[in-house]
Amino acid sequence: MSDQVTLTIDGKEVTVPRGTKVIEAAKQVGVEIPHFCYHPGLPVDGNCRMCIADVRTWNARAEKHFPARRPAVTCWTDAEENMQVFTDTDEVKKSRATVMEFLLINHPIDCPICDKAGECMLQDHYMQHDGKRSELREEKIHKPRLKPFGERIVYNGERCILCSRCTRFTAHVSKTHDLGIVNRGDRAVVELAQGSTFDNAYTDNVSDICPVGALTKTDFRFKKRVWFLKHTDSVCGGCSRNCNTVVDHDRAEIVRIMPRRRDEVNGHFMCNEGRDIYKSLAATVRTSAPISRVDELGAGPSWDDALAWAGGKLGEQKKGGKLAVIGSPWMSNEEALVLGHLAGKVCKSAWMDIKNDVIEGYPADDLLHTDDHNPNRAGVIAAGVVPGKKDGKDLAAIQEAIAAGEVEVLLVWGTGLANHYDSVEAMHEAVAKVPVVIQLTDAMDALSEVAQLVLPVRNWAERDGTWTNFEGHTSRFRKALRPHGQARDGFELLSAMCTAAGGKPPVKTFKDARKKLKQDPDSDVREVADGEFAFYKGQSLYRHHSGTTEV
Amino acid sequence: MSEQLGQNADFDNLIDGHVMPQPAYQGEFTEGEIVKYYNPSRMTLLEKLYVPAIIGGLMITARVFFTNMAKWGIWFTYWIRGKGKDAPKGAVTIYYPEETRPDYSPINRGKHILTMRQQKGPSGEALPQCVACYMCATACPAFCIHIVAGESPDPNIEKYCVEFDIEMDKCIFCGYCEEACPVDAIRLTPEPRMADYQRERMIYDREYLMTWNPTYVEDDHVYPGGHPREE
Ligand code: SF4
Ligand code: SF4
Ligand code: SF4
Ligand code: SF4
């Protein structure tokens, strides 16, 4: 028996590995089979009966296809050799409409106040597969509404279509067994397990995978209608897993962060900490223009003056000896490439290392979250900011040299240098011994209070770049928001600093940097997430702004 | 689309979700700079001389005046024959705001109101009918409706509008908001008088939209608010 089977779906032939479900095989030839309970990231359940199709198996002995007695659920049917699948016969269409009708019997259809409206599979499928008026003449069954499931989720039993996605998620993915379906028939509801507080790190995923608006996030509840949101592909910086995300924003405000499917990085899900990261972003103190504490420049220098001064100070270090460079695991690979070049080729830095910008966060677990709360340590090292590159002179050596007064120029990217000292005061005391401290940062911290020159750069939501996770997979994040004030793109700024210091930047454009880093072209792939149907593409109020049409 | 350096020309042109034509000013917006958003003046020499334009304007005024007088003259010929009542008249000057036109249509689209629920909130306050679904804000072509949704004090209602602002000076009185509303929460009254001296006062908030006169009936027409017709 070969490992591959060939079958025909709506007249299109497809070859898939044995064991593939028909619904997945159909996706490969562009046939979309509607479904509610099936989710590629969860075990198959087959309870919603929406994905039925006319499936005809090949009988080798009789040498013909046997017509099926009844339509079969394609999410649970394995693809077989020579199988024939028809997804748009009249019988199938009628069955789907009937399934929809049953699902909507007791559904409240309170779309005006439902947060899922606009991205609700029930709405979508109703428009495509049903479209009838309700035949129900009795009062609808009422179930508990506004039922909190832990701190972050609110359950509305009336909207629930009992697809069991949420219970399967807690049983098989988060393995916390928090949710279960109790009672029978039209009294069935999802209940929190006795004694469960539903406070694990992955609770918000149940709201994403819920095909309807039964589980809403307290964080997003009533905040925005989804059709006002613009979606930008991004990457979570909460830990070194680099979960691929979609940043949903309206004007200058990020409203929520949703996971984006990327099988080799995060699969379908992400943790709650990553979803909340936009709050810390909004809470950072930022500077809109360069700040200087040297007399030649004055307090608020122009970018040109600041760059010329910084370039001059760095240019003095061409012979080497007295320059220390501290990179950050929040730099993008492209920025690290230029910083490594600036420190190693344009100037001769004596010390180089990466600091620990963020040291607090969710503890590591065996699902997604890692114990490094910074996104890109691996990528920054691979791109050329190697700790202790010069004779093993790493951060400890830098600290020693600073204390001994040997460092003349200290170039720091980002925040959190104080994490490596006992206290902020100790850091201030040590750094006071360095005549020139240049900080390039997207947020103000203790070092920005004393640095001779603070140059604002854009944060991850405001610039393009790539991060590489601890397993070596590169993911691309894109510009979602307008830059704050005069903050400049880190890649461009470091290239300008190379020129100002009398050297040449290693690459001319961002694209060249990506080429030079030999980046996996897959790094900005966008896999089709579950519930995204081509039929509804372009029906949102605004264009899908993910930049996927680019290279 | 450019691949470089976070440039996303596409996004920068999107304002409130609309693709806007590029303004004359194309730099980064920085503090302390004055952004020129008006069009440069493109007057011809004749216009710049001022006097010819004044004369042109007076000629228009005179033309309108004499046309009107001629219309009234024709009306006078009817009137002396006792047929003045049905004869076409010239223009009438109404001394607004002391006088107002009595003949606005009852379906004239004017000032908005928010309807209220019969049952009061827990502390006796009036609750708007609005469930903050944003349908009106979505339908509004002028993007002048701004809603902030919140948890309603009545758990059976669940969602309602905490803030509901209409920028009346942007509104084009298309009535789409009224059409879009699933719960008949927003209506346009025939009331046409909304002029004000301050721009800030042209933003009608939720409280103001809810202070409308109760519905009254006249000539079998239902008027939600507004003013009684003047005789
Ligand atoms: S779950 Fe879907 S169909 Fe049901 S009320 Fe919400 S948006 Fe409407
Ligand atoms: S709450 Fe949502 S995910 Fe859970 S069973 Fe109901 S519809 Fe399915
Ligand atoms: S009348 Fe038209 S322009 Fe005015 S608020 Fe309603 S939808 Fe907007
Ligand atoms: S459409 Fe009606 S219910 Fe919805 S937000 Fe507007 S006024 Fe409120």
Side-chain angles (χ1 to χ4, degrees), chain B residues 112 136 139-142 144-145 166 170-178 188:
Chain B
H112 300 59
C136 50
C140 178
C144 63
I145 304 183
I166 303 183
K170 274 195 193 169
C171 173
I172 57 167
F173 302 99
C174 60
Y176 284 4
C177 46
E178 195 178 18
L188 272 65

Side-chain angles (χ1 to χ4, degrees), chain A residues 23 32 45 51 129 171 220 222 243 279 377 382 433 513 537:
Chain A
I23 196 169
E32 286 161 352
D45 202 50
C51 66
H129 303 294
F220 182 64
F222 302 163
C243 290
K279 293 182 193 162
R377 193 173 301 275
K433 298 206 178 97
K537 280 278 157 59

Side-chain angles (χ1 to χ4, degrees), chain A residues 218-239:
Chain A
T218 47
D219 185 33
F220 182 64
R221 205 171 149 75
F222 302 163
K223 222 155 98 184
K224 253 305 141 348
R225 301 322 303 259
V226 295
W227 54 84
F228 288 115
L229 300 175
K230 294 181 207 69
H231 315 283
T232 305
D233 290 2
S234 190
V235 179
C236 174
C239 78

Side-chain angles (χ1 to χ4, degrees), chain A residues 155 160-166 190 210-212 214-215:
Chain A
Y155 175 66
C160 173
I161 57 165
L162 298 163
C163 69
S164 85
R165 272 184 178 190
C166 55
V190 177
C210 180
V212 292
L215 298 166

Side-chain angles (χ1 to χ4, degrees), chain A residues 162-399:
Chain A
L162 298 163
C163 69
S164 85
R165 272 184 178 190
C166 55
T167 60
R168 274 177 286 149
F169 178 85
T170 55
H172 300 280
V173 180
S174 73
K175 300 207 171 60
T176 45
H177 301 273
D178 296 292
L179 301 177
I181 295 178
V182 298
N183 296 341
R184 284 187 301 158
D186 57 17
R187 287 184 301 273
V189 282
V190 177
E191 276 280 4
L192 205 56
Q194 260 181 9
S196 165
T197 46
F198 204 39
D199 56 357
N200 65 69
Y202 295 93
T203 53
D204 275 15
N205 288 303
V206 298
S207 169
D208 299 344
I209 60 175
C210 180
V212 292
L215 298 166
T216 46
K217 295 169 211 163
T218 47
D219 185 33
F220 182 64
R221 205 171 149 75
F222 302 163
K223 222 155 98 184
K224 253 305 141 348
R225 301 322 303 259
V226 295
W227 54 84
F228 288 115
L229 300 175
K230 294 181 207 69
H231 315 283
T232 305
D233 290 2
S234 190
V235 179
C236 174
C239 78
S240 58
R241 172 76 61 180
N242 291 183
C243 290
N244 285 208
T245 58
V246 180
V247 169
D248 289 353
H249 50 103
D250 186 35
R251 292 165 222 187
E253 174 199 17
I254 298 180
V255 181
R256 64 173 181 184
I257 294 180
M258 299 276 276
R260 171 162 57 102
R261 179 174 179 187
R262 178 93 185 277
D263 288 345
E264 70 265 37
V265 177
N266 58 316
H268 303 261
F269 308 115
M270 70 182 292
C271 73
N272 295 349
E273 189 195 17
R275 290 171 199 270
D276 288 345
I277 208 160
Y278 73 92
K279 293 182 193 162
S280 58
L281 198 65
T284 50
V285 183
R286 302 187 62 180
T287 169
S288 54
I291 299 173
S292 102
R293 292 191 180 78
V294 283
D295 294 339
E296 302 115 81
L297 285 176
S302 73
W303 266 109
D304 290 344
D305 294 348
L307 264 181
W309 184 83
K313 290 293 171 194
L314 289 169
E316 286 167 15
Q317 303 299 321
K318 270 192 184 148
K319 297 273 146 37
K322 306 287 186 197
L323 170 66
V325 173
I326 305 180
S328 152
W330 284 78
M331 304 175 84
S332 71
N333 294 341
E334 295 76 18
E335 287 154 1
L337 177 77
V338 189
L339 182 66
H341 180 87
L342 175 67
K345 302 261 165 55
V346 177
C347 313
K348 296 276 180 308
S349 73
W351 302 271
M352 194 194 287
D353 203 345
I354 305 169
K355 62 188 155 42
N356 238 340
D357 287 33
V358 181
I359 48 175
E360 276 167 13
Y362 275 25
D365 53 42
D366 48 9
L367 190 50
L368 291 174
H369 208 287
T370 65
D371 53 7
D372 184 355
H373 302 292
N374 304 288
N376 196 26
R377 193 173 301 275
V380 170
I381 293 172
V385 184
V386 184
K389 192 177 191 177
K390 189 85 183 255
D391 320 325
K393 287 182 176 171
D394 59 2
L395 200 59
I398 298 177
Q399 283 172 300

